Amino acid sequence: MKGFLVLVVSFVTLNLAARATDKPADKNVTIVSANNSPRLKYGTEKLTAALQKAGYKVVLTADGKLPAAGTTIVAGNYTDALIKKAAVAWHMKPDTTGKEGFSIKSNETAFIIAGTDASGTLYGCMELAEQVANQKTLPENISLTDKPEMVLRGACIGVQKPYYLPGRTVYEYPYTPETFPWLYDKALWVQYLDSLVANRLNSLYLWNGHPFASLVRIKDYPYAVEVDDATFKKNEELFAFLTTEADKRGIWVIQMFYNIIVSKPFAEKNNMKTQDRNRPIIPLIADYTRKSIAAFVAKYPNVGLMVALGEAMEGVGQDDVDWFCKTIIPGVQDGLKMLGRKDEPPIVLRAHDTDAPRVMKDALLIYKNLYTEAKFNGEALTTYEPRGPWAELHRTLSRIGTVQIENVHILANLEPFRYGSPDFIQKCVQSMHSIYEANGLHLYPQASYWDWPYTADKTQPRQLEIERDWIWYRTWSRYAWNCTRDRHQEEEYWAGSLADKFGCSAEQGKNIVEAYEQSGEISPKILRRYGITDGNRQTMTLGMLMTQLIDPKRFGLFPLLYNSEAPFGEMIIEYADKEANEIPHVGETPIAVADEIIVHGDKSVAAIEKAAPHVTANRDEFNRLKNDMYCYQSMAKFYAWKARAAVQVLKFKYTNKIADLEEAVPMLEKSVAFFKDLAGRTDTTYLYANSMQTQQRKIPVNGKNATMKTWVELLPIYQRELENFKKHIETLKKQGGGSGLASIKPLNNAAVEILTPNITRYTFQKGAQVFPDLSAVVNDLPAFLKGLQGIYYSQGRQITEGTSLNFKTAKPVKLLVAYFAEKNGAYLPEPTLEIDASADDYGQAQVKVANAMAIEGFPAINIHSFSFQPGTHTLTLGKGSCLLLGFINDNDPLPVVDAGLGVSENAGALDWLFEK
Ligand code: ADA
């Protein structure tokens, strides 16, 4: 059936092309609306504009009559009386189709556009308008039906910033004109919404931590509002405007929020934190949230809700079920009661940081109109062949029977370069259906999510993301509508679109498509073979350190990236191990990817250069696109040579031949040289690589306070790494080696007064018992940790209640906490930025000492540190055991090393070669 549709459409197109030159004699058109829906009005206005541009004189009426003379277009729903009347009068029966679908039929003088519903009619008008715009005339004898495959097709905007607002933390951004001038820019909204409907998208998500205190005032908590009266009024106007304009275009506005976040004035008044992952549900917060949601639903009945049951909620468990079923859904139901409504507006549940199948099971008992949403490839674009446990989760959600929406989340490996590979994206959408069994799309901006509405290009004025990344939106939307379109025809389609954009022939347009498709393979392949995480903790385009390639676990390797979001294959460390042990390689290998990305980079540059001399329109933008292709090429070569060098370095582990290390030097030199090219190409063209510019960014290096966000800043780091490597090879030659661990100075204890009652201390050393209620002792530790004053905490209590330590310090200090690196309910999970953006509030996210000690019967142990300013503090940690190793002065150097203890293989044994 789908194939048939494609044929019909192309036949019509061919037919039109043939007619484009002979102008129809009668250029008078009457458009008659069969109903007065705002969507139909919008659609007929678009159609009128297209006809007028093509030289027609148009009369638009809704008088219920079919004119006798001239060309007539009747548009409405199948069930409208006038549509039925026209069908009889003109002997043209519209074909029926599904939700949001439409039929267009015509004879010599009359057209019927009939939609299944208001959106279908709108899309029918838009379809005809597009045909008129493309062919400069009305088509002859058209007969087509169409309808979307995916039921929800949406884009999102972050009402968020690259930085934290003063005195606030992640996701906390009240809606104000000062912080978000664009939010109040009506012309920009109209432009944006027009672009969504042009792409047939039917949903728009606004993301924010706690939007309610900017939008509703609750009787019981009037003080919770966190914007002034004038802004509050502006926000009301904004939502009224936005929802009306969106509705005209068939777009449903959905407000997303995180839990459990409360407004700043609410937190201050009630003497609590705005968000705290380790806080259980407390009745006051539940009441406040339920009433906020009720007020929101009552006030903005046309706005949907999307719920993240995290990140400030305690882990995954019954709390999440309770919060959704006893606070959020009842809040929505209260709001509906206030409105006297019996229907259930949709609620979208994010699977992020929660056990969504478990939550859905209970929730469906009390509310039916639920949708689920989960990240397609994490916070990146890595593969159209997702598999493993993540694919299982998606299928489980899809099989609940509700609609599962695929979230193409922050594109942490695409920022900031242009991306628009129709081939890759079409395959992704196909896999959403075939592998994930999903039926919805939720699309993030291609780049600069945190810096909406701009891109990172260094232009004056700044470029709008929707304008620059038009091809990103168009590709995803086109395939969300229909993913089975014929590849060959798609190449023609995109070649035509790019030819229009850049004023060249379709032949040259094809070269531009080729550039997009070749470059489109590079970032996905790099991240899925060499990366640490699919999360925005890593900015891939800024490169990676050698230690991250040869010892990824030390940097908090995120396993889903390899077991689910990459085709079957090997990591660099696995590849080296197999080489050394002569085990055959399997699947996609890091060396094959190194070879492939070099070819992709060269081909994309060659293709764009072929098109370049023929470009006659949008030249500046074309040059920026061309520069991006060169950036991709340099980045690919940087990574390829570095990956080759990494494999070569790892060889040394098995051979102990210094010559093996020496062979890696020219490879690393090449890699650094290509990074220098990249720095040169981006210095004058990009403001930054990554739009999230907080301390949450960890890979390749910490990006706090908007630092280390350009290639120019990173270059010296890669140069130093190379120098260290050369220097240490010389040391090895002279002295025969040494990991440098022994040279680290012992850590000194800092004076801190523990206020929690009944806490005793112990000296951390070999043979020391680490829990008061368990006989486990330290079997091995590095010398620099010896002598720390450990803090005894009952393991039993840690498992059932979590850990809480109250203390007072006169100086800034760090508390060293040892985590057991294994997923197990008995162990406190290590801070995980992929699901908890507050996981670095105390600087605790990064592993400081990996494989820090050996304790029999326990897995590998990693030390993280929490920093505190002078004062009295309570550190609360979630449920699960960990070791509190004691306090050191905040300014004392704490090495970041892999001690290689407690693990069978010393993965970090070579790290020192690249460090100072
Ligand atoms: C992670 C990520 C955040 C945000 C979040 C989410 O915590 O670091 O930036 O994207 O996931 O909401 O999915």
Side-chain angles (χ1 to χ4, degrees), residues 606-637:
I608 206 79
E609 282 294 3
K610 263 196 219 156
H614 308 281
V615 164
T616 63
N618 292 312
R619 277 218 180 92
D620 289 347
E621 178 55 15
F622 181 82
N623 286 335
R624 286 188 288 264
L625 174 66
K626 188 169 108 180
N627 188 55
D628 279 359
M629 295 304 140
Y630 278 94
C631 291
Y632 274 116
Q633 186 189 40
S634 301
M635 181 176 75
K637 290 185 180 174

Side-chain angles (χ1 to χ4, degrees), residues 14 70 137 322 691 845:
L14 286 176
T137 182
D322 290 347
S691 60

Side-chain angles (χ1 to χ4, degrees), residues 171 258 311 350 352 375 379 409 450 536 696 833-834:
Y171 309 131
Y258 289 89
E311 306 179 3
R350 292 190 64 202
H352 176 62
K375 291 172 183 167
E379 295 162 15
H409 200 81
W450 301 87
N536 57 359
Q696 274 186 66
L833 280 167
E834 282 76 4

Side-chain angles (χ1 to χ4, degrees), residues 695-750:
Q695 59 179 19
Q696 274 186 66
R697 219 291 298 303
K698 300 289 181 194
I699 315 280
V701 294
N702 196 312
K704 70 175 173 214
N705 302 329
T707 56
M708 290 297 171
K709 59 180 182 178
T710 65
W711 298 262
V712 170
E713 285 170 290
L714 264 301
L715 180 61
I717 292 192
Y718 297 124
Q719 286 168 330
R720 210 173 312 131
E721 200 180 42
L722 175 61
E723 290 319 310
N724 287 339
F725 184 44
K726 288 182 183 168
K727 188 176 77 192
H728 289 320
I729 292 181
E730 289 312 308
T731 320
L732 267 182
K733 278 185 180 163
K734 280 194 213 119
Q735 301 166 4
S739 72
L741 255 192
S743 61
I744 299 173
K745 285 210 195 94
L747 300 175
N748 293 320
N749 289 294

Side-chain angles (χ1 to χ4, degrees), residues 135 327 727 752:
Q135 310 302 330
T327 295
K727 188 176 77 192
V752 166

